[in-house]
Amino acid sequence: MGATPISAEAAAALVKSGDWLDYGFGLGQPDLFDRALAARASALARVKIRAAFSFRPRAVLEADPTGEHFLWFNWHFSGYDRAQHDLGRCNYIPMNFGEAPDYYRRFIDPVDVVCIKTTPMDEHGYFNFGGAVSYHKAVVERAKIVIVETCTAMPYVYGA
């Protein structure tokens, strides 16, 4: 399977109401896709987004302050995630973070859509998870739809 370039808007159009969507961890959370998905808020309902340690505000939450369209679930809180929790917009998922890959492989139903930020494709046709490698390989292995948002500023991490 090869990579097919599409716009952030076309990628966001792949998300349906009721889907489980995974944004991944920290640096790997998408920005362009997040804004494109937020623009579709009024067309969606009950999209469940799982993430961990958000470094910046998420457009889907800012566009939907009442949680009618997007439900945010989080493995590990950053300051932003904690503030969203205190506003009733973020649900904490307790776990031992080192066990996340096993959770995705054995206990969590396959994710409908995953969108993760990576390095641009290399000369061999591979993307690199960069500084957000954590559990991304496991979620991508089982996702029904995989969307990669590339970023030239994502640091290349060997072995990732």
Side-chain angles (χ1 to χ4, degrees):
M1 239 186 319
T4 304
I6 61 173
S7 67
E9 292 75 20
L14 297 171
V15 177
K16 301 180 302 296
S17 290
D19 274 357
W20 265 108
L21 170 62
D22 209 295
Y23 266 21
F25 177 82
L27 291 174
Q29 289 183 12
D31 296 312
L32 301 174
F33 175 86
D34 180 48
R35 288 192 292 275
L37 187 60
R40 293 192 58 226
S42 64
L44 296 167
R46 301 172 327 279
V47 175
K48 299 169 290 293
I49 304 172
R50 191 168 27 229
F53 208 74
S54 305
F55 286 141
R56 66 183 67 196
R58 297 288 95 199
V60 291
L61 293 177
E62 303 300 317
D64 181 28
T66 60
E68 294 175 55
H69 309 283
F70 303 109
L71 305 169
W72 191 255
F73 297 86
N74 205 290
W75 294 115
H76 189 74
F77 282 175
S78 65
Y80 173 77
D81 298 317
R82 185 167 306 286
Q84 293 301 307
H85 173 270
D86 293 348
L87 293 171
R89 292 289 297 119
C90 180
N91 301 283
Y92 178 68
I93 307 170
M95 73 134 162
N96 177 342
F97 195 74
E99 294 175 355
D102 197 41
Y103 284 179
Y104 279 99
R105 290 183 178 123
R106 295 182 33 195
F107 304 115
I108 297 174
D109 289 337
V111 176
D112 295 303
V113 180
V114 60
C115 184
I116 297 175
K117 191 187 309 178
T118 69
T119 64
M121 184 188 297
D122 68 16
E123 65 276 6
H124 305 290
Y126 295 103
F127 299 95
N128 185 279
F129 293 129
V133 65
S134 61
Y135 57 85
H136 288 175
K137 185 174 187 297
V139 69
V140 165
E141 288 170 349
R142 302 213 41 233
K144 296 173 187 171
I145 297 172
V146 176
I147 299 167
V148 174
E149 179 177 305
T150 62
C151 176
T152 56
M154 176 65 83
Y156 186 93
V157 175
Y158 289 94

